[in-house]
Amino acid sequence: MKIFNSLTKSLFLFSLLFTFGFNLKAQSADEGKTLFTANCTACHAINDKIVGPALKDVHKRREEAWLVKWIKNSQAMVKAGDPVAVQLYKENNESVMTSFENLSDVQVKSIIAYIKAESEAPAAAATAAVPGDNTKTKMNNESNESLVSSINWLLLIISILLITVISYVFSILNRIGKIQGKEVINWTSVNGFLLLAFLVIGLIATFWEFAVHSKLTVFADGPASVHGKEYDNMFMITLIITGVVFVITQILLFWYGFKYKNDGKRKALYYPDNHKIELLWTVVPAIVLTILVIRGLFVWNDMMYSKEENPRNVELFAYQFGWDARIAGADNKLGAYNFREVGKANALGVDPKDEKAKDDIIVKELHLEVNKPYHFSFRSKDVIHSAYFPHFRAQMNVVPGLPTQFSFTPSVTTAEMRTKTGKPNFDYALLCNKICGSAHYRMKMVIIVDTKADYEKWLKSQKTLAQSTPVVSENTVALK
Amino acid sequence: MSDHNLHTNHDDHGHHEETFISKYIFSMDHKMIARQFLITGIIMGTLGMLMSMIFRLQLAYPDMKFPFLEGILGHWGKDGKLDPNFYLALITIHGTIMVFFVLTAGLSGTFSNLLIPLQLGARDMASPFMNMLSYWFFFASSCVLVFSLFVDGGPASAGWTVYPPLSALPKAIPGSGVGMTLWLVSMVLFIASALLGGINYIATILNMRTKGMKMTRMPLTIWAFFVTAVLGLLSFPVLLGGSLLLIFDRSFGTSFYLSEIVAELAGGIERTGGSPILFQHLFWFLGHPEVYIILLPALGITSEVIATNSRKPIFGYRAMIGSILAIGVLSFIVWGHHMFITGMNPFLGSVFMLGTLIIAVPSAVKTFNYLATLWQGNLNLTPAMMFAIGLVSFFISGGLTGIYLGNAALDINLHDTYFVVAHFHLVMGSAAIFGMMSGIYHWYPKLFGRMLNETAGHFHFWLTLISAYCVFFPMHFMGLAGVPRRYYANTAYDQFNVFIDMNEFITIAALLGGAAQLIFLINFFYSAVKGKRAPQNPWKSNTLEWTAPVEHLHGNWPGEIPHVYRWAYDYSKPGHDEDFIPQNVPDRDQMDPLDEPTSLPEPSLTKVHNASTAEVTH
């Protein structure tokens, strides 16, 4: 994490340097940076091996033409028997690298230019220039971490020592027992007291956990969507009911274990059944569960059948290992697509000749307007993914060949959430929550919720499908 | 009840020479087969646990290098870093081993085989030969799975649920090559084993009960094994069908589960028209009953152990049978709760949600009945009893979180997060393992004719209980923060990386728990050879298996099979000196085993004081 953080920070810094400070050969590397963050960071970093190898000095290891070919379709090279390609494939445990045939040669070269610039940049300068505040918090975090970490290990050592001492004591007691010819340790009463101790310590630990760790959950940040309030209410009701049952039943269980342990003086009560009590504890849970079910059904239907009129249409396209978002243009209609064209004219296989598609906007970082209803439709290129938006209390699987959808209205802007949570770097994330392959854990998209004004400003800066790249118009002919 | 079974005695089974192979390897004796299932299950369980240690290290120390990994994993642990693909392989095989090989075959296979004939008063299973085949299919299946760890591309890595297209397309992940094929082969063999066993259990329970063993007098263990076998028989064939279709998709170019797959992954053929969701329906049609296939035997064992060691009849015997049957029936109409957010019709989601929350009612009844059995008991806190109490505790903790996940609305934000991991590891993992341990400690004298070391057993229990709660309880909070399961590291997200300390704590607790299992393993194998000789009825239990001699006889009882005159739970019955009356002891005036024992005055609370003040007379 630290590495990744400082990496993104240094990337940010470099982009700043390039744009404002020294305008070197910036243009190409600058475009390369955007493309690199959008397409490569799920699996690669400059200095570290992530899922794929570290890319530092890759321009020295391979020729540019080879790299372009590899990035566009590595499997074709492996199949063709290119010795370097085959070796690389084997070295990486036969993980298939995603093909980027939709990128033009110029674009791939700009990525390589960016990697080159990064490899040559002195690493020390980058870390030193990280803004002061962040360094401080980072250092605090680090010292905290190492502190907690040493406490963890201390606990382990103490518990091992304790266990050794206790087991030694027991083995001595056992020997004494053998000499005396009777049991010295009465395990039933020892266990009885241990059960009681476990109950007390366990309950204290549970309350402590709730006090400390519930602050880290998304429920502490509050919902960021309109339906989220209803969701959180439902959650709290369930939490209270189950919490009460949990505490009562665990207390009874461990208390009975302690109270009714065999003391050699009593005989157990022959008490095989009591229909009244049994009826009671069948009916009461049934009623409580009915209430939860009915309430749950209302929430579920509200979430599934959105009543908002004219929501804005957005398509989320998932692939190994990233997301593309396609926002419907002025007509609020998404253009047609064909899965056979995916990765050819454009990454999503959208038909550029469709009138509805021409004003569609494809982005790698999704901006949403606050308090505006959105209707998301999901599409997958390869395997099942799951689009999970924890702060918006929303999730839907992305299944190849099966259109799925989800609607919600974001209600808190990113800026508001940053102030509310006190985290200046907070961002909403869309993440993949269905196992999809090696870089599953890095498959993310940043979501920014803007005010109306900010959103419109951002929207203007984006290119529609028709304007975006000349590549599209070149390839339309080839599409036929 | 077959007459043949009642009146033949041991001698009729012939005096054929038993060679080493026919006695210890290709044995048809149910007690030996039970031991074989148990030991294979323990070996597989150790393997599955070791795998979890490796991926726990990765989760706690995502930036650290462990050079020893390269030693054991070879190129998957190059430079001491676990490969992300192999991480996924490890969680997949860990899940497969634990769910199928340990908690289905290891638990149900062991105790159904041991207890069904012994507790019902039968000489052996209905078909000893099929029983032997059942074990050897299981053995072959285990071998194939272990072998798959060493193939090119690694073992199956698509999660234990092996959802296609990830599991169907070799290009999608390295593990979906030969490894996945072997996983499917292993599963087909496993299903054959489960079906051969299940048919046998059902036939034995229905036909081979001794005289007087009415269905309503059977111990709850047998009821649990019976319903388990029926569930397995009805649901495993569906997974078999599902697996075969997946084999077709992978090897013969069909597209049952594949639709709109882009050319670069499709392998040169058209892949359209199928549905990946179809596989999920087929999988979870087994997958959900499977949860109860795991849990019911554990609950059955617990019922028996709690009643025996509380010296009290199990509370609400008929309600317990009713709950087992209700859980069995309902378990077939709740599978969709694993699929609320797959894009399934929301109305269908509502139906599954209703079914899921209804199933909580019989589960609650069972819990309350356990508590009522402990109340006013005279508890002998043996290791078996402690593990049974531990099971009830996990069953409560894990069961209650099921109410969140069964609620379709709440599932939206909790699905596939660590909250789910915590939930099922408590309610199904830990609870069932504790049930299995309880069974091992309780019936070890029956299995091996020797006693386990008690002190070691108590150490094993306390360390395991503490470590299981320390491992799984904190995971709830990670889930509530939205941390997805099956992530190789949480480093890409600031909001998840705050759990790094918690992850470290969990890993240390898991290592401690693993060390505690060493105590068990040593105790288990040492006592099998050197343990104290077991008395015939060490726990003063009522059930029939304790009337059989300690040494294993082919045919179980020398001479006639005991007849049964009462239910299994006459503990501390008023008017008797001993605090237990075995099932084969007739009451005064009870001539025919099928007669009801002499009726008792209704128990009332006024008797509580009399009973509790009375001295124990023996």
Side-chain angles (χ1 to χ4, degrees):
Chain A
M1 187 61 222
K2 280 166 246 158
I3 295 160
F4 185 70
N5 243 351
S6 57
L7 187 75
T8 43
K9 278 201 194 99
S10 59
L11 294 189
F12 175 64
L13 191 82
F14 267 99
S15 70
L16 276 184
L17 284 181
F18 280 130
T19 24
F20 301 112
F22 334 77
N23 206 342
L24 305 172
K25 47 191 171 175
Q27 198 46 53
S28 152
D30 214 27
E31 192 198 348
K33 179 194 172 282
T34 322
L35 288 166
F36 184 82
T37 348
N39 295 299
C40 313
T41 44
C43 303
H44 294 281
I46 304 292
N47 293 312
D48 297 287
K49 180 183 175 355
I50 309 286
V51 175
L55 294 178
K56 193 176 177 176
D57 292 336
V58 73
H59 58 286
K60 291 181 191 157
R61 292 198 294 268
R62 318 253 184 269
E63 281 173 22
E64 194 175 58
W66 189 94
L67 280 173
V68 172
K69 221 169 140 193
W70 171 266
I71 291 168
K72 287 186 140 192
N73 192 343
S74 62
Q75 277 303 296
M77 290 177 83
V78 174
K79 230 177 214 169
D82 181 297
V84 184
V86 171
Q87 200 207 344
L88 202 57
Y89 180 53
K90 287 239 163 88
E91 265 175 20
N92 286 284
N93 295 323
E94 307 195 358
S95 254
V96 179
M97 176 169 160
T98 316
S99 301
F100 292 96
E101 277 170 312
N102 54 308
L103 296 179
S104 69
D105 283 12
V106 182
Q107 285 173 317
V108 176
K109 280 177 188 159
S110 73
I111 295 177
I112 300 171
Y114 167 71
I115 295 171
K116 195 173 163 188
E118 279 296 298
S119 311
E120 283 159 4
T127 35
V130 170
D133 277 355
N134 278 342
T135 339
K136 218 180 249 172
T137 48
K138 183 138 275 177
M139 275 172 66
N140 274 344
N141 276 344
E142 264 166 33
S143 58
N144 264 344
E145 263 170 36
S146 58
L147 191 70
V148 174
S149 158
S150 53
I151 289 176
N152 275 339
W153 285 109
L154 201 68
L155 274 177
L156 181 75
I157 292 166
I158 290 175
S159 46
I160 290 175
L161 279 178
L162 260 180
I163 294 163
T164 337
V165 170
I166 295 172
S167 54
Y168 197 65
V169 169
F170 272 107
S171 73
I172 293 173
L173 287 177
N174 257 340
R175 250 177 247 164
I176 296 174
K178 259 182 202 156
I179 294 166
Q180 294 188 340
K182 61 171 188 190
E183 295 280 317
V184 177
I185 318 150
N186 180 351
W187 265 109
T188 291
S189 54
V190 172
N191 277 333
F193 285 104
L194 285 176
L195 282 173
L196 194 64
F198 185 81
L199 173 68
V200 174
I201 295 169
L203 285 178
I204 293 171
T206 307
F207 287 119
W208 177 84
E209 272 236 80
F210 266 94
V212 174
H213 289 139
S214 55
K215 284 180 200 144
L216 302 176
T217 67
V218 288
F219 295 94
D221 296 347
S225 63
V226 171
H227 75 257
K229 280 193 191 113
E230 226 181 327
Y231 180 97
D232 284 18
N233 278 340
M234 181 77 227
F235 182 84
M236 287 305 156
I237 292 170
T238 315
L239 181 67
I240 290 165
I241 292 177
T242 52
V244 169
V245 177
F246 174 81
V247 172
I248 292 177
T249 44
Q250 296 283 12
I251 288 179
L252 286 181
L253 176 69
F254 286 95
W255 174 249
Y256 285 172
F258 166 73
K259 173 103 196 288
Y260 297 112
K261 61 186 186 302
N262 184 356
D263 52 9
K265 291 177 195 149
R266 289 174 305 119
K267 201 171 173 183
L269 171 71
Y270 186 83
Y271 194 60
D273 52 13
N274 178 334
H275 294 300
K276 270 186 206 154
I277 292 180
E278 283 171 70
L279 196 66
L280 182 76
W281 66 45
T282 313
V283 172
V284 171
I287 291 173
V288 173
L289 285 164
T290 314
I291 295 169
L292 285 177
V293 167
I294 291 171
R295 221 195 125 88
L297 283 177
F298 277 113
V299 180
W300 169 246
N301 282 327
D302 278 358
M303 287 168 90
M304 287 291 123
Y305 301 105
S306 170
K307 290 180 200 77
E308 298 288 351
E309 276 173 27
N310 297 325
R312 200 166 280 161
N313 281 309
V314 175
E315 180 188 56
L316 285 168
F317 179 77
Y319 58 91
Q320 286 176 327
F321 299 95
W323 301 91
D324 286 326
R326 178 157 65 113
I327 305 170
D331 59 355
N332 199 22
K333 285 194 178 103
L334 290 161
Y337 68 86
N338 182 346
F339 80 91
R340 290 187 177 80
E341 302 301 328
V342 164
K344 288 178 186 161
N346 51 59
L348 280 71
V350 177
D351 182 359
K353 284 181 294 145
D354 185 354
E355 277 305 316
K356 288 184 223 141
K358 282 188 175 148
D359 59 352
D360 289 357
I361 297 163
I362 298 175
V363 290
K364 282 280 179 185
E365 182 186 271
L366 179 61
H367 285 238
L368 300 175
E369 187 186 327
V370 71
N371 293 328
K372 190 94 190 159
Y374 278 87
H375 176 269
F376 294 92
S377 45
F378 303 97
R379 184 154 64 91
S380 167
K381 175 190 169 192
D382 32 47
V383 300
I384 300 178
H385 303 271
S386 188
Y388 182 29
F389 318 69
H391 278 92
F392 301 104
R393 313 286 188 263
Q395 181 170 199
M396 185 51 67
N397 282 6
V398 187
V399 187
L402 180 85
T404 54
Q405 54 192 2
F406 200 102
S407 299
F408 68 80
T409 311
S411 60
V412 182
T413 64
T414 301
E416 282 166 0
M417 198 50 120
R418 283 178 181 170
T419 354
K420 196 175 162 192
T421 56
K423 293 175 209 152
N425 296 323
F426 177 86
D427 266 321
Y428 294 117
L430 161 65
L431 42 121
C432 180
N433 193 16
K434 185 64 78 187
I435 180 172
C436 66
S438 51
H440 170 49
Y441 72 109
R442 297 174 64 85
M443 180 172 162
K444 98 187 214 193
M445 176 187 252
V446 172
I447 295 178
I448 310 276
V449 180
D450 284 331
T451 56
K452 195 172 182 343
D454 286 348
Y455 177 76
E456 274 160 11
K457 207 164 96 195
W458 171 80
L459 197 65
K460 266 189 203 129
S461 70
Q462 299 301 315
K463 288 178 186 160
T464 62
L465 195 65
Q467 319 162 329
S468 62
T469 40
V471 189
V472 176
S473 39
E474 268 169 34
N475 277 28
T476 36
V477 190
L479 259 176
K480 284 181 180 176
Chain B
M1 271 158 273
S2 74
D3 273 357
H4 141 85
N5 191 43
L6 282 174
H7 299 297
T8 45
N9 59 30
H10 171 237
D11 294 333
D12 293 349
H13 279 253
H15 285 289
H16 58 266
E17 286 291 306
E18 284 201 292
T19 60
F20 178 81
I21 286 181
S22 75
K23 189 167 177 202
Y24 292 105
I25 299 184
F26 292 105
S27 171
M28 291 200 255
D29 187 285
H30 70 100
K31 300 180 288 296
M32 181 56 72
I33 293 173
R35 288 197 233 175
Q36 290 172 329
F37 266 109
L38 181 58
I39 289 170
T40 317
I42 287 177
I43 292 169
M44 292 302 276
T46 311
L47 194 63
M49 201 183 63
L50 289 175
M51 288 178 174
S52 71
M53 308 266 146
I54 295 176
F55 62 69
R56 273 313 321 174
L57 276 182
Q58 160 62 29
L59 288 169
Y61 307 104
D63 299 327
M64 216 184 267
K65 291 183 172 171
F66 298 97
F68 75 92
L69 283 182
E70 190 162 5
I72 47 177
L73 303 177
H75 65 106
W76 295 112
K78 211 186 295 171
D79 305 327
K81 282 301 294 168
L82 181 66
D83 186 279
N85 284 307
F86 203 70
Y87 170 84
L88 296 178
L90 284 176
I91 56 158
T92 303
I93 304 299
H94 166 79
T96 310
I97 285 182
M98 289 307 189
V99 169
F100 292 111
F101 292 80
V102 180
L103 291 175
T104 304
L107 171 60
S108 188
T110 305
F111 292 104
S112 295
N113 267 307
L114 178 73
L115 295 179
I116 289 175
L118 276 170
Q119 288 197 332
L120 291 178
R123 295 277 180 213
D124 205 317
M125 283 287 179
S127 167
F129 180 71
M130 264 166 66
N131 211 17
M132 179 188 81
L133 278 185
S134 161
Y135 172 73
W136 285 103
F137 269 105
F138 168 57
F139 183 80
S141 152
S142 312
C143 289
V144 173
L145 192 77
V146 172
F147 179 69
S148 83
L149 296 174
F150 304 100
V151 298
D152 213 20
S157 328
W160 79 278
T161 53
V162 297
Y163 285 178
L166 188 60
S167 61
L169 306 169
K171 289 251 170 78
I173 190 169
S176 287
V178 192
M180 188 63 217
T181 306
L182 288 177
W183 190 94
L184 287 164
V185 170
S186 162
M187 213 29 66
V188 168
L189 292 170
F190 185 89
I191 294 168
S193 155
L195 294 179
L196 284 166
I199 293 169
N200 226 338
Y201 305 152
I202 294 170
T204 312
I205 292 170
L206 290 180
N207 297 313
M208 295 175 65
R209 303 189 305 277
T210 183
K211 194 167 188 192
M213 182 62 89
K214 302 178 197 172
M215 292 293 270
T216 48
R217 281 180 186 170
M218 293 198 307
L220 286 172
T221 34
I222 303 294
W223 269 106
F225 298 147
F226 178 60
V227 176
T228 303
V230 174
L231 292 186
L233 207 58
L234 294 177
S235 61
F236 267 116
V238 178
L239 179 65
L240 181 66
S243 304
L244 288 177
L245 296 189
L246 186 53
I247 290 175
F248 284 0
D249 272 8
R250 291 172 44 79
S251 308
F252 308 119
T254 58
S255 295
F256 290 106
Y257 304 133
L258 300 173
S259 186
E260 298 200 0
I261 302 295
V262 292
E264 66 179 88
L265 286 168
I269 36 172
E270 181 83 1
R271 297 287 204 177
T272 49
S275 165
I277 302 302
L278 171 64
F279 179 83
Q280 298 188 17
H281 280 294
L282 295 175
F283 183 88
W284 287 115
F285 189 84
L286 158 91
H288 201 77
E290 171 67 23
V291 171
Y292 294 99
I293 290 175
I294 287 171
L295 203 54
L296 285 179
L299 292 173
I301 287 169
T302 306
S303 308
E304 178 66 26
V305 170
I306 284 189
T308 304
N309 289 298
S310 300
R311 314 309 295 159
K312 258 190 86 179
I314 192 84
F315 187 84
Y317 174 74
R318 278 166 194 267
M320 289 298 243
I321 297 175
S323 319
I324 293 175
L325 290 172
I327 288 175
V329 172
L330 288 171
S331 72
F332 278 101
I333 54 162
V334 298
W335 81 87
H337 68 220
H338 298 271
M339 302 166 57
F340 284 139
I341 54 153
T342 52
M344 191 167 73
N345 187 321
F347 175 71
L348 202 53
S350 314
V351 176
F352 281 122
M353 169 178 166
L354 192 66
T356 305
L357 294 192
I358 292 176
I359 213 168
V361 176
S363 310
V365 169
K366 283 192 87 80
T367 310
F368 292 134
N369 282 354
Y370 286 136
L371 291 176
T373 309
L374 293 175
W375 177 74
Q376 291 280 0
N378 195 17
L379 315 185
N380 291 326
L381 298 175
T382 61
M385 180 66 167
M386 295 307 283
F387 274 102
I389 291 176
L391 177 146
V392 178
S393 176
F394 287 132
F395 191 58
I396 296 169
S397 312
L400 286 171
T401 49
I403 293 173
Y404 300 69
L405 295 167
N407 184 334
L410 293 183
D411 186 62
I412 289 173
N413 220 49
L414 299 174
H415 184 88
D416 263 359
T417 62
Y418 266 85
F419 195 82
V420 178
V421 177
H423 162 71
F424 73 77
H425 274 99
L426 284 174
V427 78
M428 183 177 94
S430 303
I433 285 282
F434 270 49
M436 186 170 169
M437 286 299 170
S438 176
I440 293 173
Y441 280 100
H442 194 74
W443 280 290
Y444 194 87
K446 234 358 20 176
L447 278 162
F448 293 96
R450 290 170 189 274
M451 304 296 283
L452 281 168
N453 182 309
E454 199 193 350
T455 310
H458 291 298
F459 270 94
H460 175 215
F461 167 76
W462 282 109
L463 291 175
T464 314
L465 181 80
I466 291 166
S467 102
Y469 264 125
C470 287
V471 168
F472 299 120
F473 201 81
M475 285 186 185
H476 291 110
F477 295 91
M478 288 169 70
L480 296 180
V483 182
R485 68 196 280 207
R486 293 166 175 162
Y487 265 24
Y488 170 71
N490 297 326
T491 44
Y493 300 88
D494 282 332
Q495 75 219 65
F496 299 158
N497 213 24
V498 294
F499 288 104
I500 191 77
D501 306 329
M502 189 189 274
N503 263 326
E504 189 183 336
F505 174 78
I506 291 175
T507 298
I508 293 173
L511 291 174
L512 190 72
Q517 304 319 302
L518 279 179
I519 303 177
F520 168 72
L521 289 175
I522 293 168
N523 193 5
F524 184 91
F525 288 107
Y526 179 84
S527 302
V529 189
K530 291 264 172 92
K532 207 167 65 179
R533 294 228 167 252
Q536 192 180 17
N537 191 355
W539 320 117
K540 297 203 168 65
S541 182
N542 284 344
T543 39
L544 281 188
E545 75 271 27
W546 305 108
T547 63
V550 179
E551 315 74 59
H552 284 185
L553 296 179
H554 192 56
N556 294 341
W557 283 271
E560 272 203 46
I561 290 179
H563 291 178
V564 164
Y565 293 87
R566 58 183 72 244
W567 72 333
Y569 299 104
D570 271 341
Y571 290 106
S572 305
K573 199 172 182 181
H576 291 262
D577 295 345
E578 290 274 359
D579 67 352
F580 71 112
I581 314 168
Q583 284 190 283
N584 61 338
V585 175
D587 257 358
R588 281 161 305 207
D589 317 324
Q590 192 183 6
M591 302 305 289
D592 188 346
L594 293 170
D595 290 344
E596 286 306 313
T598 354
S599 59
L600 272 167
E602 279 294 307
S604 64
L605 285 175
T606 49
K607 287 224 161 51
V608 174
H609 299 288
N610 301 340
S612 54
T613 46
E615 290 279 315
V616 180
T617 39
H618 63 280

PDB file of all heavy atoms in Angstrom, chain B residues 317-329:
ATOM      1  N   TYR B 317     -37.509 -34.223  22.320  1.00  0.00           N
ATOM      2  CA  TYR B 317     -37.029 -35.191  21.319  1.00  0.00           C
ATOM      3  C   TYR B 317     -37.818 -35.090  20.016  1.00  0.00           C
ATOM      4  O   TYR B 317     -37.255 -34.998  18.927  1.00  0.00           O
ATOM      5  CB  TYR B 317     -37.151 -36.588  21.924  1.00  0.00           C
ATOM      6  CG  TYR B 317     -36.847 -37.735  20.985  1.00  0.00           C
ATOM      7  CD1 TYR B 317     -35.548 -38.019  20.605  1.00  0.00           C
ATOM      8  CD2 TYR B 317     -37.877 -38.544  20.492  1.00  0.00           C
ATOM      9  CE1 TYR B 317     -35.269 -39.077  19.763  1.00  0.00           C
ATOM     10  CE2 TYR B 317     -37.600 -39.611  19.651  1.00  0.00           C
ATOM     11  CZ  TYR B 317     -36.298 -39.874  19.289  1.00  0.00           C
ATOM     12  OH  TYR B 317     -36.026 -40.926  18.456  1.00  0.00           O
ATOM     13  N   ARG B 318     -39.155 -35.034  20.140  1.00  0.00           N
ATOM     14  CA  ARG B 318     -39.959 -34.977  18.917  1.00  0.00           C
ATOM     15  C   ARG B 318     -39.788 -33.655  18.178  1.00  0.00           C
ATOM     16  O   ARG B 318     -39.741 -33.606  16.940  1.00  0.00           O
ATOM     17  CB  ARG B 318     -41.431 -35.217  19.234  1.00  0.00           C
ATOM     18  CG  ARG B 318     -41.710 -36.707  19.336  1.00  0.00           C
ATOM     19  CD  ARG B 318     -43.038 -37.031  19.957  1.00  0.00           C
ATOM     20  NE  ARG B 318     -43.054 -38.463  20.311  1.00  0.00           N
ATOM     21  CZ  ARG B 318     -43.524 -39.398  19.497  1.00  0.00           C
ATOM     22  NH1 ARG B 318     -44.052 -39.088  18.335  1.00  0.00           N
ATOM     23  NH2 ARG B 318     -43.480 -40.664  19.854  1.00  0.00           N
ATOM     24  N   ALA B 319     -39.662 -32.580  18.935  1.00  0.00           N
ATOM     25  CA  ALA B 319     -39.424 -31.277  18.293  1.00  0.00           C
ATOM     26  C   ALA B 319     -38.088 -31.281  17.563  1.00  0.00           C
ATOM     27  O   ALA B 319     -37.940 -30.677  16.495  1.00  0.00           O
ATOM     28  CB  ALA B 319     -39.437 -30.169  19.336  1.00  0.00           C
ATOM     29  N   MET B 320     -37.100 -32.009  18.157  1.00  0.00           N
ATOM     30  CA  MET B 320     -35.791 -32.091  17.502  1.00  0.00           C
ATOM     31  C   MET B 320     -35.913 -32.830  16.171  1.00  0.00           C
ATOM     32  O   MET B 320     -35.348 -32.393  15.161  1.00  0.00           O
ATOM     33  CB  MET B 320     -34.791 -32.826  18.395  1.00  0.00           C
ATOM     34  CG  MET B 320     -34.376 -32.043  19.615  1.00  0.00           C
ATOM     35  SD  MET B 320     -33.540 -30.529  19.192  1.00  0.00           S
ATOM     36  CE  MET B 320     -31.941 -30.819  19.882  1.00  0.00           C
ATOM     37  N   ILE B 321     -36.650 -33.947  16.167  1.00  0.00           N
ATOM     38  CA  ILE B 321     -36.842 -34.679  14.902  1.00  0.00           C
ATOM     39  C   ILE B 321     -37.574 -33.781  13.909  1.00  0.00           C
ATOM     40  O   ILE B 321     -37.198 -33.675  12.737  1.00  0.00           O
ATOM     41  CB  ILE B 321     -37.647 -35.974  15.136  1.00  0.00           C
ATOM     42  CG1 ILE B 321     -36.873 -36.902  16.059  1.00  0.00           C
ATOM     43  CG2 ILE B 321     -37.951 -36.664  13.817  1.00  0.00           C
ATOM     44  CD1 ILE B 321     -37.636 -38.154  16.443  1.00  0.00           C
ATOM     45  N   GLY B 322     -38.609 -33.103  14.417  1.00  0.00           N
ATOM     46  CA  GLY B 322     -39.365 -32.193  13.549  1.00  0.00           C
ATOM     47  C   GLY B 322     -38.462 -31.131  12.944  1.00  0.00           C
ATOM     48  O   GLY B 322     -38.550 -30.848  11.745  1.00  0.00           O
ATOM     49  N   SER B 323     -37.563 -30.554  13.764  1.00  0.00           N
ATOM     50  CA  SER B 323     -36.667 -29.513  13.235  1.00  0.00           C
ATOM     51  C   SER B 323     -35.746 -30.085  12.176  1.00  0.00           C
ATOM     52  O   SER B 323     -35.515 -29.447  11.144  1.00  0.00           O
ATOM     53  CB  SER B 323     -35.797 -28.915  14.333  1.00  0.00           C
ATOM     54  OG  SER B 323     -36.515 -28.719  15.489  1.00  0.00           O
ATOM     55  N   ILE B 324     -35.215 -31.294  12.442  1.00  0.00           N
ATOM     56  CA  ILE B 324     -34.307 -31.890  11.455  1.00  0.00           C
ATOM     57  C   ILE B 324     -35.039 -32.070  10.129  1.00  0.00           C
ATOM     58  O   ILE B 324     -34.525 -31.713   9.060  1.00  0.00           O
ATOM     59  CB  ILE B 324     -33.762 -33.247  11.954  1.00  0.00           C
ATOM     60  CG1 ILE B 324     -32.857 -33.040  13.163  1.00  0.00           C
ATOM     61  CG2 ILE B 324     -32.997 -33.957  10.855  1.00  0.00           C
ATOM     62  CD1 ILE B 324     -32.378 -34.330  13.803  1.00  0.00           C
ATOM     63  N   LEU B 325     -36.281 -32.600  10.215  1.00  0.00           N
ATOM     64  CA  LEU B 325     -37.041 -32.816   8.972  1.00  0.00           C
ATOM     65  C   LEU B 325     -37.364 -31.487   8.298  1.00  0.00           C
ATOM     66  O   LEU B 325     -37.249 -31.356   7.074  1.00  0.00           O
ATOM     67  CB  LEU B 325     -38.331 -33.586   9.278  1.00  0.00           C
ATOM     68  CG  LEU B 325     -38.121 -35.044   9.684  1.00  0.00           C
ATOM     69  CD1 LEU B 325     -39.431 -35.660  10.157  1.00  0.00           C
ATOM     70  CD2 LEU B 325     -37.576 -35.847   8.504  1.00  0.00           C
ATOM     71  N   ALA B 326     -37.765 -30.487   9.103  1.00  0.00           N
ATOM     72  CA  ALA B 326     -38.112 -29.187   8.523  1.00  0.00           C
ATOM     73  C   ALA B 326     -36.903 -28.568   7.840  1.00  0.00           C
ATOM     74  O   ALA B 326     -36.990 -28.068   6.716  1.00  0.00           O
ATOM     75  CB  ALA B 326     -38.630 -28.254   9.616  1.00  0.00           C
ATOM     76  N   ILE B 327     -35.746 -28.636   8.517  1.00  0.00           N
ATOM     77  CA  ILE B 327     -34.528 -28.084   7.907  1.00  0.00           C
ATOM     78  C   ILE B 327     -34.244 -28.822   6.606  1.00  0.00           C
ATOM     79  O   ILE B 327     -33.912 -28.213   5.591  1.00  0.00           O
ATOM     80  CB  ILE B 327     -33.342 -28.203   8.883  1.00  0.00           C
ATOM     81  CG1 ILE B 327     -33.499 -27.208  10.033  1.00  0.00           C
ATOM     82  CG2 ILE B 327     -32.026 -27.959   8.171  1.00  0.00           C
ATOM     83  CD1 ILE B 327     -32.455 -27.326  11.120  1.00  0.00           C
ATOM     84  N   GLY B 328     -34.425 -30.162   6.639  1.00  0.00           N
ATOM     85  CA  GLY B 328     -34.172 -30.953   5.439  1.00  0.00           C
ATOM     86  C   GLY B 328     -35.034 -30.521   4.271  1.00  0.00           C
ATOM     87  O   GLY B 328     -34.556 -30.322   3.162  1.00  0.00           O
ATOM     88  N   VAL B 329     -36.326 -30.352   4.523  1.00  0.00           N
ATOM     89  CA  VAL B 329     -37.240 -29.975   3.440  1.00  0.00           C
ATOM     90  C   VAL B 329     -36.945 -28.552   2.967  1.00  0.00           C
ATOM     91  O   VAL B 329     -36.791 -28.284   1.772  1.00  0.00           O
ATOM     92  CB  VAL B 329     -38.711 -30.086   3.903  1.00  0.00           C
ATOM     93  CG1 VAL B 329     -39.649 -29.519   2.846  1.00  0.00           C
ATOM     94  CG2 VAL B 329     -39.050 -31.543   4.194  1.00  0.00           C
TER      95      VAL B 329
END
